[in-house]
């Protein structure tokens, strides 16, 4: 389809190369479960030979991911960490990574406990401080790893500025775009080389699939990552590919509703006397509020807030009724998480506290419930949490 070049993002979600099956006219991508493909010629093999290398269903998803992110090639993986880990395989022994300090716990674990065993060095840095980023650069720096907004303290990193620093030093820029998705933020357009996702989250959006994604904008880099995807083999199964494709169709409308409610909730928590801190880049007092407006359409549907103590936080969680209390985010239902023991449980306590991830911090991924119902629920839970024990 060439006419889609002028379509809006919302229309591209529905009208793309997978709009209908060319063979049957079906308006749903066929799920091709074949693990291997017959070759009709002794000398010439077809496009598909083995399911790990390429599968028509996975190919449809990968093309759509690249299409939405504005890249030339997409890759679907068995999980977000499979995507991140495979991208890190672009590194070699002796290379160095500059990585945002308040990164997802699984990425922290991969860097500190796995890549370090293979001779890959790393420096964690506050990437909101460009001078600190520059000071962290070494002669062997090969990757700058950004997560913006960060998880769970919602710091915002200047993607364009970091990408320029990376290019100056001949390094790649990786950006985890899980929180905002291409609906709200396009890192490749800002200079990034690799965009990464936990497609488990907003891209699929229904808490029914575990998936990961990567998109690149350079042909040479695409070929290298394709080689690694095939070699490492952590590809996404076809049934899960179909589920992500289905979820993508409603990405825009889901985010519109969730972001609208997230803004209301952020202001609610900020004005509530019982809430100590609120972290959300849509609040004007957020340190990177203007930067967020500059490089993204809005602040997204995830926020974090902190109560006065771990005991009060526990009481609050026990009295909340609407959100599920669980790992993960980005679903149609609101998800309340406890980073200290969930997303960042792999990070030592001292490292968590250094990054502002206290034992009284909660992260909220806002779903599609009515904002007033959520506000009433949180009001009641806060009242119970701060009521004297009788």
């Amino acid at each position: 389809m060439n006419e889609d070049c002028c379509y809006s993002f919302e229309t591209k979600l529905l009208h793309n190369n997978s709009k209908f099956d060319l063979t049957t006219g079906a308006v749903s991508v066929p799920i091709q479960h074949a693990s291997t493909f017959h070759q009709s010629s002794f000398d010439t093999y077809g496009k598909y030979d083995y399911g790990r290398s390429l599968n028509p269903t996975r190919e449809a998803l990968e093309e759509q991911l690249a299409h939405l992110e504005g890249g030339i090639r997409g890759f679907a993986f068995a999980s977000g960490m499979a995507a991140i880990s495979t991208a890190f395989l672009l590194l070699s022994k002796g290379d160095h990574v500059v990585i945002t300090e308040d990164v997802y716990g699984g990425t922290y674990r991969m860097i500190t406990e796995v890549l370090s065993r293979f001779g890959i060095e790393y420096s964690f840095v506050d990437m909101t401080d460009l001078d600190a980023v520059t000071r962290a650069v070494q002669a062997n720096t090969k990757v700058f790893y950004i997560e913006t907004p960060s998880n769970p303290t919602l710091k915002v990193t200047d993607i364009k500025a970091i990408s320029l620093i990376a290019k100056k030093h001949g390094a790649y820029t990786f950006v985890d775009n899980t929180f905002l998705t291409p609906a709200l933020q396009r890192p490749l357009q800002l200079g990034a080389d690799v965009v990464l996702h936990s497609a488990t989250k907003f891209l699929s959006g229904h808490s029914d699939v575990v998936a990961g994604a990567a998109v690149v904008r350079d042909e040479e880099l695409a070929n290298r990552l394709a080689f690694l995807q095939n070699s490492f083999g952590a590809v996404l199964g076809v049934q899960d590919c179909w589920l992500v494709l289905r979820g993508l169709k409603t990405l825009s409308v889901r985010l519109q509703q969730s972001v609208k409610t997230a803004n209301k909730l952020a202001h609610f928590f900020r004005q509530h006397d019982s809430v100590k801190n609120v972290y959300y880049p849509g609040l004007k007092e957020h340190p990177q509020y203007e930067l967020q407006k500059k490089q993204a359409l809005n602040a997204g549907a995830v926020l974090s807030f902190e109560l006065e103590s771990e005991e009060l936080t526990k009481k609050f969680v026990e009295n909340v009724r609407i959100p599920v209390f669980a790992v993960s985010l980005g679903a149609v239902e609101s998800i309340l998480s406890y980073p200290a023991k969930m997303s960042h449980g792999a990070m030592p306590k001292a490292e968590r506290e250094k990054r502002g991830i206290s034992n009284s911090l909660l992260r909220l991924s806002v779903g599609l419930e009515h904002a007033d119902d959520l506000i009433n629920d949180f009001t009641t839970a806060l009242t119970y949490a701060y009521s004297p024990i009788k």
Side-chain angles (χ1 to χ4, degrees), residues 1-5 7 11-23 25-30 47-48 56-57 59-68 71-72 245 249:
M1 293 179 63
N2 296 319
E3 69 273 15
D4 68 356
C5 62
Y7 286 168
T11 302
K12 287 181 179 180
L13 288 171
L14 303 172
H15 298 275
N16 47 67
N17 288 339
S18 302
K19 180 177 180 178
F20 58 83
D21 180 45
L22 295 177
T23 302
V27 294
S28 178
V29 173
K47 183 179 183 180
Y48 309 102
T57 311
E59 182 181 36
L61 172 59
E62 292 178 335
E63 287 182 351
Q64 176 69 328
L65 291 168
H67 185 58
L68 297 175
I72 65 164
L245 280 165
K249 293 179 179 180

Side-chain angles (χ1 to χ4, degrees), residues 167-235:
K167 286 175 176 58
K168 180 179 178 182
H169 294 278
Y172 290 132
T173 301
F174 293 0
V175 178
D176 185 330
N177 200 29
T178 297
F179 272 28
L180 295 185
T181 81
L184 305 180
Q185 179 172 265
R186 312 279 175 80
L188 295 181
Q189 294 180 4
L190 296 170
D193 299 290
V194 181
V195 176
L196 298 160
H197 289 273
S198 172
T200 307
K201 313 303 194 295
F202 287 106
L203 293 182
S204 56
H206 291 78
S207 296
D208 57 8
V209 63
V210 174
V215 180
V216 301
R217 63 187 181 95
D218 175 78
E219 189 67 40
E220 185 271 337
L221 186 56
N223 290 335
R224 291 182 63 193
L225 196 56
F227 174 83
L228 291 170
Q229 183 193 41
N230 190 38
S231 299
F232 198 51
V235 297

